[in-house]
Amino acid sequence: MAAFRSVSVTRSYEQVVDQVLARIRAGDFLPGSRLPTERELGDIFGVSRGVIREALKVLITLGAVESRQGSGTYVAADLTPMVSRALVLSARPEPGSLSDLMEMRAPLERFAVRLAAERRTAAQSRAISEAAETSTAAAAAGDWDTFGRADVRFHTAIYAASANPLLITVMGAIREIQQNAVALVSAVTGSMPVAAGQHVEIAAAIWDGDADRAERTMIDHITYATDAVISTLTGQEPHRFRAAERDIGDNARTPEPVGPAGR
Amino acid sequence: MSFRSVSTMRSYEQVVEQLTERIHSGEFKPNQRLPTERELGELFGVSRGVIREAIKVLSSVGLVESRQGSGTYVTANLTPTVSRALVLSAKPEEGSLLALMELRQSTEVLAARLAAERRDESEIGPILEAARATVAAAEADNMHDFEDGDVKYHRLIVEAARNPFLITIHAAIRDIQRDVSSRVVMMTGSMIMAADQHLRIAHAIADQDSVTSAAVMDEHLGVTIRALQGVLALPPEDRRQVRYLNTQQSI
């Protein structure tokens, strides 16, 4: 069936969609910037406003542009949701979906942190350390919300420092999917102070430009997060440290294994 | 923009959203036929025009496809949608190829490990066969056949890893690679060496030796990355010479 589809003639609005995407990619239309009006776009692409309107509907659904009431159409400032939406749809939910996601996330996190240690600028390194310290203070205060935000900032800053735009997008998409999936079941898994301690260690390794150490620490961090999330979702060994240490959502580590060995 | 077009957009968007949700939740499965426009109109309480609008959008996004004379079906393969989204974050410039190969390396090392752990017996034959096809192409110095075999070989390994996210990301990466690499020298390293690595990985997968399959895959893509870094370090005018020099015996 797929073969037949590619044979079919591309409709004119689809051609406009492809061309607008190509211009976004080439940097002619910048993220967050206002697109030309429907009439101007019609002139640019040599098609009617009706065709442009069709194309814009598709682009909005894709998440590539957004319409702001009374102000026009803008290129999306962040294209990550576009990828995560497509990824979510491509891998339909079934038992094991989240473990598939975590399985893919682990090597990418290791890789991102290696690149970050090798390539980070001084400012990026400071941002990573600052987020790690904020997560530590939040853990000490038992402030789950602040910790959660610092956690996202910490990891996002590492992706940014990897200086690999594809990795940044894919990791952003993976985290978004994971957060949505975990939020459905339970937002709390694992120990906040231990995770914060890991953050600080990773940040220090990145600061020192020590890719091997950064990677080793990240492996511990992610391995625990995977076990914690999956054991929470499967209902095995739930929340062992919850009462004692307060718990966190995404990335955490406890001193003892939570799930059964080999999980 | 007038009030009217805003409100029209809202209703088709709601239909798009609800249909997307049902596809995502698995209520509408891949290859399943959607209700007719009229039935959908009744279900959603909107006109057929709104439904038609929503179907058009869903079909452009790649979620559904119209089959002539037979209706609208849920698409089985959403990879084109992912690659279209991912491609936007890769600027069409030479450095993108390096970013792409880096992403390939980390995903395919995982794929090689998981494939060795999870492959079933029936997958061993095709993987070995694809590896041997690249060996034959390398020996015949046939770059075109080598590339065809190479794409197939890597795809089979990723499929044997049985991780749907990995399969989608890998396919998207290869889509983008095809697109980006036409702009850059892809001639990095020897075909013979690459084909030999293919064979070693294939045997490791057959033997369920995940440590070896992952290590050789790491080296396999690492060679390309290092060569690419070397090429990108050259001034642009010299890169062209590299291309001519290596065209005959390299990937």
Side-chain angles (χ1 to χ4, degrees):
Chain A
M1 297 306 122
F4 279 127
R5 225 183 134 222
S6 62
V7 173
S8 76
V9 181
T10 314
R11 280 164 288 202
S12 42
Y13 71 89
E14 286 180 339
Q15 286 178 27
V16 173
V17 167
D18 286 339
Q19 290 199 41
V20 171
L21 290 178
R23 287 193 180 216
I24 292 174
R25 190 169 164 232
D28 295 340
F29 297 155
L30 292 171
S33 70
R34 196 172 166 286
L35 275 186
T37 63
E38 286 177 7
R39 186 135 62 96
E40 288 162 350
L41 286 170
D43 290 341
I44 291 173
F45 295 114
V47 296
S48 71
R49 280 180 70 175
V51 171
I52 295 294
R53 226 170 279 149
E54 292 292 297
L56 289 177
K57 283 178 188 170
V58 173
L59 287 163
I60 289 169
T61 307
L62 277 173
V65 309
E66 51 204 24
S67 148
R68 294 182 202 160
Q69 210 148 9
S71 151
T73 311
Y74 289 76
V75 180
D78 177 11
L79 292 161
T80 303
M82 188 173 165
V83 178
S84 65
R85 184 154 22 163
L87 253 186
V88 164
L89 290 167
S90 74
R92 292 184 171 76
E94 35 187 84
S97 241
L98 191 64
S99 66
D100 286 336
L101 190 73
M102 297 298 282
E103 184 174 83
M104 187 168 86
R105 188 183 150 193
L108 293 176
E109 289 280 0
R110 289 169 58 172
F111 183 58
V113 84
R114 284 201 73 86
L115 292 181
E118 288 164 9
R119 299 177 178 171
R120 89 286 183 279
T121 64
Q124 285 168 334
S125 200
R126 273 197 299 278
I128 293 165
S129 297
E130 185 274 325
E133 280 152 22
T134 306
S135 74
T136 305
D143 180 349
W144 199 89
D145 282 343
T146 306
F147 181 90
R149 281 195 301 274
D151 180 58
V152 170
R153 220 165 61 236
F154 173 76
H155 286 279
T156 308
I158 291 176
Y159 310 145
S162 79
N164 182 323
L166 291 165
L167 195 60
I168 295 169
T169 306
V170 171
M171 291 314 297
I174 290 174
R175 289 192 72 93
E176 195 171 296
I177 297 170
Q178 190 189 321
Q179 264 152 20
N180 292 342
V182 173
L184 288 177
V185 186
S186 161
V188 285
T189 54
S191 146
M192 201 158 52
V194 180
Q198 295 278 327
H199 286 169
V200 171
E201 276 184 64
I202 294 167
I206 292 173
W207 184 273
D208 295 341
D210 187 340
D212 290 338
R213 199 171 96 228
E215 184 181 7
R216 273 198 311 274
T217 324
M218 183 61 89
I219 292 171
D220 290 345
H221 191 57
I222 297 302
T223 302
Y224 176 72
T226 304
D227 287 348
V229 166
I230 289 169
S231 59
T232 300
L233 292 187
T234 54
Q236 290 166 0
E237 296 280 327
H239 312 313
R240 179 183 297 176
F241 294 91
R242 197 168 173 178
E245 289 186 296
R246 303 294 291 256
D247 305 312
I248 62 151
D250 179 8
N251 291 291
R253 185 167 186 270
T254 64
E256 296 169 43
V258 164
R263 166 142 282 286
Chain B
M1 199 175 285
S2 72
F3 277 127
R4 214 172 144 211
S5 74
V6 169
S7 70
T8 309
M9 272 172 65
R10 283 221 186 102
S11 30
Y12 92 82
E13 271 179 344
Q14 282 175 26
V15 174
V16 164
E17 203 180 291
Q18 289 197 44
L19 285 175
T20 304
E21 250 167 46
R22 288 190 186 211
I23 291 171
H24 185 207
S25 71
E27 203 174 320
F28 291 151
K29 295 185 172 54
N31 287 320
Q32 185 179 331
R33 196 172 154 282
L34 286 184
T36 64
E37 284 175 7
R38 184 140 62 95
E39 289 162 349
L40 287 171
E42 284 164 13
L43 283 172
F44 288 109
V46 295
S47 73
R48 281 178 69 174
V50 172
I51 296 294
R52 219 170 285 144
E53 209 54 67
I55 297 289
K56 212 186 258 183
V57 167
L58 286 171
S59 131
S60 288
V61 172
L63 273 182
V64 305
E65 56 196 3
S66 297
R67 297 182 193 165
Q68 210 147 16
S70 146
T72 305
Y73 290 78
V74 179
T75 310
N77 177 12
L78 282 149
T79 304
T81 311
V82 179
S83 49
R84 180 149 63 166
L86 198 55
V87 82
L88 284 177
S89 56
K91 295 273 176 258
E93 61 195 20
E94 299 189 335
S96 289
L97 191 57
L98 184 60
L100 202 64
M101 291 307 298
E102 287 174 351
L103 188 61
R104 258 194 78 186
Q105 188 183 31
S106 52
T107 52
E108 289 202 37
V109 169
L110 173 71
R113 178 164 67 73
L114 295 178
E117 288 166 10
R118 297 175 183 174
R119 94 285 183 284
D120 66 45
E121 294 289 325
S122 68
E123 286 167 317
I124 299 172
I127 291 172
L128 276 169
E129 198 183 306
R132 289 193 191 109
T134 63
V135 172
E139 283 167 356
D141 200 18
N142 184 334
M143 204 163 107
H144 183 263
D145 283 1
F146 181 90
E147 279 173 358
D148 283 353
D150 182 70
V151 168
K152 188 176 172 198
Y153 170 79
H154 286 276
R155 179 172 49 77
L156 289 171
I157 290 178
V158 171
E159 283 169 3
R162 308 229 185 304
N163 181 320
F165 294 107
L166 202 55
I167 291 171
T168 307
I169 289 282
H170 174 77
I173 290 173
R174 294 301 303 231
D175 269 3
I176 301 170
Q177 192 179 337
R178 206 177 312 126
D179 176 47
V180 180
S181 63
S182 60
R183 298 164 184 275
V184 204
V185 239
M186 240 337 256
M187 296 73 222
T188 47
S190 124
M191 261 200 294
I192 300 269
M193 187 177 86
D196 176 60
Q197 288 167 331
H198 284 168
L199 212 49
R200 281 162 59 207
I201 298 165
H203 284 302
I205 290 173
D207 297 342
Q208 297 190 293
D209 178 354
S210 59
V211 174
T212 304
S213 69
V216 181
M217 182 67 88
D218 195 25
E219 178 55 22
H220 179 53
L221 294 167
V223 168
T224 307
I225 288 174
R226 284 192 298 275
L228 196 58
Q229 281 169 331
V231 171
L232 291 174
L234 297 172
E237 56 274 20
D238 293 342
R239 288 179 206 165
R240 189 163 300 165
Q241 287 180 341
V242 172
R243 168 159 34 197
Y244 289 137
L245 279 175
N246 285 348
T247 303
Q248 287 311 304
Q249 80 281 22
S250 44
I251 53 169

